[in-house]
Amino acid sequence: PLYVIGTTVITLCAGCGTAGSLAAVLDNVCFPAAFPQECAAASTSLAVCYGLFGAAAVRGVEVWRCAAADRNDTDRTLLMQTVLVGCIPLQLASSAFAGDVGVGERAALLMHTSPAPRTGVLQLVGAASACAWAQGVVQQSLLRHLTSFAVLNAARMMPADPQAVWWWPAVAATSAVAPIAAALLTTIVATTADGLVARRLRPYAEAVSRARWEAVELAIRRSPQRFALEAPSEVASSRAAAFEIAARDWQTMQRKHEWRSDVAAAVRAAIAASVYTASGCSIIAPILTSWVGAADFSSKGS
């Protein structure tokens, strides 16, 4: 576990440094500094308040997501995603030299049995890294460009007598819509990235899921013949029908769980983007939202 933690922390810290450098190149004045002079609207107390409010909302989303699972769900959790991303260099090396593509997946499952203090720190680093890219780079860049576009467009379309035309107030107010549009676009980007990590970096879990689904479909098709060997035709038909109903119910539950996971990922990303905007572009708010709201502090050592 210590090796996994060290590898993950080093990788994610390097990712945060890269995000900070990219943000500086893009002139994102609100990142990496938490409260620069250009972001006067941000304050520590406001960021903490919005962060904790968002965390409560994210915690509710997590409870709703796991309610459809018939087991202790570890899919799409902050800890799972953190370790999967942090072990990408290790997984690439293992895949290239040993043909093993499941190192990151096994490391993530191992960390779910580690003591809470270790996983808590790891999830904090993961939340900080994710927010550095989502809010510090993507959302701040979108906000700056959209606001600049709205201001320039308003200046270009400004009539000689603004009070004489009915459409000018709507055009003049477009800059106020820029933060909302930036948050929505950031939500789309973050949700897509979350889905790619969950599906592309867990090849064994995806293979097992497909195998289970195919096995159930095969069992449904073969159930009439199988039950016909064990009972009279009428009884066999009723048993096959009951088996198909149970199998379809299982498939429905699986689809429901996958749907809830996708929706929860989108809502978590939307909440993080919203608290970032509401706090005056303080990176502290989404980090608190993601860490306190989505982290699992109940892991136990084996």
Side-chain angles (χ1 to χ4, degrees):
L2 292 179
Y3 177 77
V4 174
I5 293 174
T7 301
T8 302
V9 169
I10 291 173
T11 301
L12 295 180
C13 287
C16 286
T18 304
S21 300
L22 181 58
V25 171
L26 296 174
D27 294 328
N28 292 355
V29 296
C30 293
F31 182 78
F35 306 113
Q37 293 180 355
E38 293 84 351
C39 298
S43 68
T44 304
S45 59
L46 189 66
V48 171
C49 288
Y50 276 112
L52 294 179
F53 179 79
V58 169
R59 181 62 66 179
V61 172
E62 284 297 286
V63 171
W64 173 79
R65 178 183 68 88
C66 295
D70 57 357
R71 54 188 170 79
N72 185 20
D73 184 40
T74 59
D75 297 341
R76 305 286 285 270
T77 61
L78 176 59
L79 179 59
M80 173 68 74
Q81 303 293 78
T82 295
V83 179
L84 287 175
V85 174
C87 289
I88 286 178
L90 181 62
Q91 182 163 332
L92 291 176
S94 177
S95 176
F97 296 105
D100 186 358
V101 297
V103 172
E105 194 171 358
R106 293 196 300 273
L109 293 174
L110 175 64
M111 291 310 303
H112 273 279
T113 64
S114 297
R118 294 179 181 177
T119 58
V121 173
L122 197 60
Q123 291 171 105
L124 174 59
V125 176
S129 178
C131 293
W133 283 99
Q135 276 70 50
V137 175
V138 176
Q139 187 169 354
Q140 186 61 222
S141 295
L142 289 171
L143 177 61
R144 185 169 59 84
H145 284 90
L146 290 174
T147 301
S148 177
F149 173 79
V151 172
L152 292 176
N153 184 62
R156 181 178 61 86
M157 297 181 63
M158 185 176 181
D161 186 6
Q163 296 181 352
V165 293
W166 62 268
W167 48 264
W168 171 245
V171 173
T174 52
S175 60
V177 183
I180 301 175
L184 290 176
L185 292 173
T186 302
T187 298
I188 295 173
V189 173
T191 303
T192 303
D194 184 272
L196 289 174
V197 169
R199 293 179 173 89
R200 299 297 183 183
L201 299 183
R202 301 178 64 229
Y204 291 159
E206 288 296 303
V208 169
S209 178
R210 286 194 302 269
R212 286 177 177 173
W213 197 271
E214 293 171 358
V216 171
E217 287 290 343
L218 181 61
I220 292 174
R221 291 196 300 268
R222 291 182 175 179
S223 60
Q225 294 84 359
R226 177 180 177 182
F227 287 118
L229 298 175
E230 302 174 353
S233 59
E234 294 182 0
V235 177
S237 298
S238 62
R239 288 179 179 177
F243 176 80
E244 182 174 0
I245 292 174
R248 297 302 181 191
D249 287 342
W250 178 85
Q251 291 178 333
T252 300
M253 289 298 297
Q254 294 299 310
R255 291 193 187 96
K256 183 178 180 181
H257 178 52
E258 293 175 1
W259 175 78
R260 286 199 179 200
S261 295
D262 292 337
V263 172
V267 174
R268 288 196 304 266
I271 294 173
S274 299
V275 298
Y276 179 71
T277 301
S279 65
C281 296
S282 169
I283 199 70
I284 294 177
I287 291 176
L288 274 178
T289 292
S290 301
W291 182 50
V292 178
D296 179 13
F297 300 103
S298 62
S299 300
K300 298 180 180 179
S302 55

